[in-house]
Amino acid sequence: AQRDALANVGGAWGSLSRPNEAPALPALVRAVIRRRHGHAHDVVRAGDLAIDLRRFRVNRHMKAMPLLRSEYGVLATLALHDGRVVTYERLVLGALAASPLASLPLLKTTVHTLRRKLRAIGETSVEIHTWQRQGYSLSAGSPSRRAKHSTGR
């Protein structure tokens, strides 16, 4: 029955009616978050990146991109917001919440490292933009288009 409950979470809103169904909670939370941002599947695409929300992995052309948990959290959050600005506060409280050192300086360091890792994997269509005193956004245009736009705003 528990296996059936976990399988149903992917395709239905689902609910938890008993405390012994607690193992289904993480799957339910992931499903609700995906749907809230308009994604019905476990993998979100951002340009040439595939962000697996269930396995906490990022791939580019079927090759894994090694990321720390905080880096993955920031990248996944930005990708789920599909080009919209995500505030510093939302990223610190959401994507970095697992870190006991969650703060704006940690967020800025994490974004800096993410940008470096994105450059290290070669020409990619994904870029993180800074919106001064607001937050960050992720663009997933073509690599040739990226060269014409600034990453700082």
Side-chain angles (χ1 to χ4, degrees):
Q2 190 172 12
R3 185 180 301 162
D4 293 337
L6 287 172
N8 289 335
V9 166
W13 280 99
S15 64
L16 298 179
S17 58
R18 294 176 286 181
N20 63 351
E21 294 178 1
L25 184 60
L28 180 62
V29 170
R30 285 192 306 272
V32 169
I33 289 170
R34 283 193 316 272
R35 286 184 188 95
R36 181 171 183 228
H37 295 288
H39 300 281
H41 304 287
D42 287 335
V43 177
V44 175
R45 295 231 171 245
D48 53 1
L49 298 181
I51 302 165
D52 189 327
L53 301 173
R54 189 166 51 91
R55 292 186 181 94
F56 305 102
R57 293 184 190 151
V58 176
N59 292 314
R60 179 173 179 254
H61 304 300
M62 304 300 287
K63 184 177 177 186
M65 182 177 165
L67 296 177
L68 298 175
R69 184 177 183 165
S70 57
E71 296 163 349
Y72 169 84
V74 169
L75 185 61
T77 301
L78 292 173
L80 284 168
H81 284 82
D82 197 26
R84 294 183 308 264
V85 176
V86 182
T87 65
Y88 296 132
E89 181 180 24
R90 176 172 274 191
L91 286 166
V92 169
L93 295 177
L96 299 180
S99 172
L101 304 173
S103 63
L104 183 56
L106 176 61
L107 174 61
K108 289 181 177 186
T109 300
T110 301
V111 168
H112 174 78
T113 305
L114 258 176
R115 285 178 173 145
R116 187 173 42 82
K117 287 183 177 185
L118 286 169
R119 282 191 303 270
I121 62 172
E123 189 68 21
T124 180
S125 62
V126 176
E127 190 164 20
I128 300 172
H129 299 277
T130 300
W131 296 83
Q132 293 299 324
R133 296 187 206 120
Q134 293 179 41
Y136 296 100
S137 67
L138 189 73
S139 68
S142 66
S144 59
R145 190 174 148 225
R146 267 188 53 227
K148 297 176 185 174
H149 295 286
S150 167
T151 58
R153 291 203 158 86

